Amino acid sequence: MEALDLDPGDYGGTYKLVGGRPSLDFVNTISWPETGREHDWLSSPGNARRWFAAVDLPFPRAKTVDLASLHKTRQLLARVLRPLAHGEQAPAGALAEFSKAAARAYQHRLIDPASLAWHWPAPQTAAEALAPILLDAADLVTAGDHQRLRFCPSCDWLFEDQTRNGQRRWCDMADCGSRDKARRYYHRTKA
Ligand SMILES: [Zn+2]
């Protein structure tokens, strides 16, 4: 899996689209959440723009970017999706807030008169740009297979297991998977 071209600042790691859905990749824009190594990939307008382009979602053209609004929605999605990925119940307060945000997001969607399909008009604000991500999360929560919503046991990134056998364990074999392999090899040879 290739790393996305985001500016890492002085952070040593990389960011990859491993989630399989935009809402999970959005939550994953924080590396090593709630640890001393935590890193926010959406801390600059340039990175935010590049991330939205990479997941093929429209972003406002305005020069200024409301990063706080992106971060707030990301935190809300993490509060709902992370427990589900861990096989736990999401807090009722977070679900209530999420439900309202998803309902607002629906209002941005329009039917295209030519194709008669749902489409997203060009967003004017960060909130509008977040609408498709919120709806992806809403789909995942209400209609997704929660058994296949997982977390990486090494770094806690989230992903939907879309493999046929449903045995996917790591965010990325090349990162966390091989790190674990090396660790197990080390313990085996040490014993
Ligand atoms: Zn991982």
Side-chain angles (χ1 to χ4, degrees), residues 32 152-157 170-172 175-177 179:
W32 302 99
C152 174
S154 170
C155 71
D156 213 16
W157 267 1
W170 308 103
C171 64
D172 188 22
D175 293 336
C176 290
R179 201 161 25 232

Side-chain angles (χ1 to χ4, degrees), residues 148 150 159 161-170:
R148 286 187 170 249
R150 309 259 173 80
F159 59 86
D161 185 352
Q162 293 164 350
T163 61
R164 192 190 291 237
N165 62 11
Q167 300 289 313
R168 179 172 165 194
R169 182 136 191 253
W170 308 103

